[in-house]
Amino acid sequence: MYAIIETGGKQYRVENGDQIAVEKLGVEDGAKVVFDKVLVVGDGADIKVGAPYVDGATVEGNAIETGKGKKVIIFKYKAKKDYRKKQGHRQPYTLVEITSIAGKAAPAAAAKEEAPAEEKKAAKKPSLKSMKKAELIEFAKENNIEIDEKATNAVMIETIEAALK
Protein backbone atom coordinates (compact mmCIF):
# COMPACT_ATOMS: atom_id res chain seq x y z
CA MET A 1 0.00 0.00 0.00
CA TYR A 2 1.25 3.47 -0.83
CA ALA A 3 0.14 7.04 -0.26
CA ILE A 4 0.96 10.49 -1.55
CA ILE A 5 1.18 13.03 1.26
CA GLU A 6 1.66 16.78 1.36
CA THR A 7 3.92 18.45 3.89
CA GLY A 8 6.08 21.53 3.80
CA GLY A 9 4.62 22.60 0.45
CA LYS A 10 5.88 19.42 -1.24
CA GLN A 11 4.35 16.06 -2.12
CA TYR A 12 5.92 12.70 -1.29
CA ARG A 13 5.04 9.15 -2.39
CA VAL A 14 5.50 6.91 0.64
CA GLU A 15 5.15 3.26 1.62
CA ASN A 16 5.60 1.45 4.92
CA GLY A 17 9.24 1.49 6.00
CA ASP A 18 10.26 4.43 3.79
CA GLN A 19 12.50 7.14 5.20
CA ILE A 20 11.87 10.61 3.84
CA ALA A 21 13.55 13.94 4.57
CA VAL A 22 10.83 16.60 4.86
CA GLU A 23 10.94 20.27 5.71
CA LYS A 24 11.75 20.75 9.40
CA LEU A 25 8.85 19.78 11.67
CA GLY A 26 8.55 21.15 15.19
CA VAL A 27 8.88 17.76 16.90
CA GLU A 28 11.60 16.10 18.96
CA ASP A 29 13.62 13.15 17.69
CA GLY A 30 11.78 9.86 18.28
CA ALA A 31 8.36 11.53 18.44
CA LYS A 32 5.33 10.23 16.55
CA VAL A 33 4.32 12.25 13.47
CA VAL A 34 0.88 12.11 11.82
CA PHE A 35 0.34 13.40 8.29
CA ASP A 36 -3.36 14.04 7.63
CA LYS A 37 -2.98 15.76 4.26
CA VAL A 38 -3.19 12.56 2.20
CA LEU A 39 -3.82 13.18 -1.49
CA VAL A 40 -3.91 9.57 -2.77
CA VAL A 41 -4.11 6.14 -1.14
CA GLY A 42 -3.47 3.14 -3.35
CA ASP A 43 -2.93 -0.59 -3.31
CA GLY A 44 -1.93 -1.86 -6.73
CA ALA A 45 -4.60 -0.94 -9.27
CA ASP A 46 -7.09 0.14 -6.59
CA ILE A 47 -6.62 3.78 -5.68
CA LYS A 48 -8.58 6.44 -3.86
CA VAL A 49 -7.98 10.04 -4.89
CA GLY A 50 -9.01 12.92 -2.66
CA ALA A 51 -10.52 16.24 -3.62
CA PRO A 52 -8.13 17.65 -2.44
CA TYR A 53 -7.55 15.23 0.48
CA VAL A 54 -8.79 11.69 1.16
CA ASP A 55 -11.29 11.71 4.04
CA GLY A 56 -10.19 9.70 7.07
CA ALA A 57 -6.81 8.73 5.63
CA THR A 58 -3.68 9.31 7.71
CA VAL A 59 -0.02 8.38 7.44
CA GLU A 60 1.94 7.84 10.64
CA GLY A 61 5.67 7.90 11.15
CA ASN A 62 8.47 8.42 13.65
CA ALA A 63 10.84 11.40 13.56
CA ILE A 64 14.29 9.82 13.44
CA GLU A 65 16.46 12.93 13.41
CA THR A 66 16.46 16.65 12.77
CA GLY A 67 19.43 18.09 10.95
CA LYS A 68 20.72 20.34 8.20
CA GLY A 69 21.26 19.41 4.58
CA LYS A 70 24.36 20.02 2.46
CA LYS A 71 25.47 23.60 2.05
CA VAL A 72 24.13 25.40 -0.98
CA ILE A 73 26.41 28.19 -2.26
CA ILE A 74 24.82 31.33 -3.67
CA PHE A 75 27.36 33.35 -5.66
CA LYS A 76 26.36 36.65 -7.25
CA TYR A 77 28.69 38.28 -9.76
CA LYS A 78 28.51 41.23 -12.11
CA ALA A 79 31.12 41.44 -14.82
CA LYS A 80 33.41 44.52 -14.94
CA LYS A 81 31.79 46.05 -11.85
CA ASP A 82 33.94 44.49 -9.10
CA TYR A 83 30.80 42.99 -7.52
CA ARG A 84 31.02 39.56 -5.94
CA LYS A 85 28.82 38.24 -3.17
CA LYS A 86 29.11 34.72 -1.73
CA GLN A 87 26.47 33.36 0.60
CA GLY A 88 25.82 29.86 1.94
CA HIS A 89 22.69 28.18 3.25
CA ARG A 90 21.91 24.82 4.90
CA GLN A 91 18.24 23.85 4.77
CA PRO A 92 16.94 22.22 7.98
CA TYR A 93 15.08 18.92 7.61
CA THR A 94 13.44 16.19 9.65
CA LEU A 95 14.06 12.56 8.71
CA VAL A 96 10.82 10.59 9.12
CA GLU A 97 10.32 6.82 8.91
CA ILE A 98 6.83 5.82 7.77
CA THR A 99 5.26 3.24 10.10
CA SER A 100 1.66 2.90 8.91
CA ILE A 101 -0.81 4.06 6.30
CA ALA A 102 -4.43 4.17 7.50
CA GLY A 103 -7.13 4.46 4.87
CA LYS A 104 -8.56 1.95 2.47
CA ALA A 105 -8.39 2.32 -1.28
CA ALA A 106 -11.85 2.05 -2.83
CA PRO A 107 -11.97 -0.38 -5.72
CA ALA A 108 -12.92 1.54 -8.84
CA ALA A 109 -14.91 -1.34 -10.37
CA ALA A 110 -17.11 -1.79 -7.29
CA ALA A 111 -17.98 1.91 -7.18
CA LYS A 112 -19.06 1.88 -10.83
CA GLU A 113 -21.31 -1.16 -10.37
CA GLU A 114 -23.16 0.40 -7.44
CA ALA A 115 -24.21 3.53 -9.37
CA PRO A 116 -27.77 3.42 -10.79
CA ALA A 117 -28.32 3.56 -14.54
CA GLU A 118 -29.37 7.25 -14.51
CA GLU A 119 -26.23 8.28 -12.65
CA LYS A 120 -24.11 6.30 -15.10
CA LYS A 121 -25.35 8.44 -17.98
CA ALA A 122 -24.62 11.62 -16.04
CA ALA A 123 -21.21 10.30 -15.00
CA LYS A 124 -20.32 9.37 -18.58
CA LYS A 125 -21.01 12.91 -19.82
CA PRO A 126 -17.57 14.50 -20.07
CA SER A 127 -16.79 17.98 -21.31
CA LEU A 128 -18.02 17.75 -24.87
CA LYS A 129 -16.66 21.15 -25.88
CA SER A 130 -13.08 20.02 -25.33
CA MET A 131 -13.48 16.93 -27.52
CA LYS A 132 -12.24 16.63 -31.07
CA LYS A 133 -14.52 15.56 -33.90
CA ALA A 134 -13.37 11.93 -33.85
CA GLU A 135 -13.90 11.76 -30.08
CA LEU A 136 -17.42 13.17 -30.42
CA ILE A 137 -18.28 10.54 -33.05
CA GLU A 138 -16.88 7.75 -30.86
CA PHE A 139 -18.76 9.06 -27.79
CA ALA A 140 -22.00 9.12 -29.76
CA LYS A 141 -21.49 5.53 -30.96
CA GLU A 142 -20.78 4.32 -27.39
CA ASN A 143 -24.01 5.89 -26.17
CA ASN A 144 -26.11 4.80 -29.19
CA ILE A 145 -26.76 8.34 -30.38
CA GLU A 146 -27.27 8.94 -34.09
CA ILE A 147 -25.38 11.96 -35.41
CA ASP A 148 -24.31 13.22 -38.82
CA GLU A 149 -20.58 12.52 -39.03
CA LYS A 150 -20.11 15.32 -41.57
CA ALA A 151 -21.69 17.95 -39.31
CA THR A 152 -19.69 20.59 -37.45
CA ASN A 153 -18.54 20.08 -33.87
CA ALA A 154 -21.13 22.53 -32.54
CA VAL A 155 -23.98 20.67 -34.23
CA MET A 156 -22.68 17.32 -32.93
CA ILE A 157 -22.44 18.69 -29.39
CA GLU A 158 -26.02 20.01 -29.53
CA THR A 159 -27.30 16.65 -30.81
CA ILE A 160 -25.46 14.69 -28.11
CA GLU A 161 -26.60 17.01 -25.30
CA ALA A 162 -30.21 16.78 -26.49
CA ALA A 163 -30.02 12.98 -26.56
CA LEU A 164 -28.50 12.78 -23.06
CA LYS A 165 -31.29 14.88 -21.50
Side-chain angles (χ1 to χ4, degrees), residues 108-129:
K112 288 182 181 177
E113 292 174 7
E114 294 174 5
E118 294 177 15
E119 291 181 15
K120 282 187 180 181
K121 284 186 180 180
K124 281 188 177 181
K125 183 181 174 186
S127 175
L128 297 174
K129 292 180 182 178

Side-chain angles (χ1 to χ4, degrees), residues 136-150:
L136 287 170
I137 294 168
E138 183 180 333
F139 181 80
K141 286 181 181 178
E142 288 175 1
N143 293 304
N144 298 326
I145 300 171
E146 291 184 27
I147 59 169
D148 182 18
E149 294 183 8
K150 295 180 181 179

Side-chain angles (χ1 to χ4, degrees), residues 16-123:
N16 285 340
D18 284 353
Q19 290 186 356
I20 58 172
V22 299
E23 294 289 322
K24 184 178 178 182
L25 303 172
V27 297
E28 297 180 12
D29 294 348
K32 181 179 173 183
V33 180
V34 177
F35 300 103
D36 58 346
K37 292 184 178 181
V38 180
L39 303 167
V40 176
V41 176
D43 189 15
D46 300 331
I47 63 170
K48 187 173 183 182
V49 179
Y53 305 115
V54 179
D55 293 332
T58 59
V59 175
E60 296 179 0
N62 292 324
I64 297 172
E65 69 174 359
T66 301
K68 290 185 178 182
K70 289 187 170 185
K71 183 174 270 193
V72 178
I73 304 296
I74 299 102
F75 187 75
K76 296 181 180 181
Y77 168 79
K78 294 191 189 276
K80 302 176 193 166
K81 302 295 180 190
D82 194 27
Y83 175 79
R84 290 173 179 82
K85 184 176 179 183
K86 184 177 179 181
Q87 185 179 17
H89 173 74
R90 293 179 67 190
Q91 184 68 30
Y93 70 89
T94 301
L95 188 66
V96 178
E97 182 176 12
I98 305 300
T99 56
S100 70
I101 299 173
K104 294 186 178 180
K112 288 182 181 177
E113 292 174 7
E114 294 174 5
E118 294 177 15
E119 291 181 15
K120 282 187 180 181
K121 284 186 180 180

Side-chain angles (χ1 to χ4, degrees), residues 7 12-13 30 37 40 49-51 66 102 126 131 154-155 159 162:
T7 180
Y12 301 90
R13 183 185 190 277
K37 292 184 178 181
V40 176
V49 179
T66 301
M131 287 186 174
V155 174
T159 309

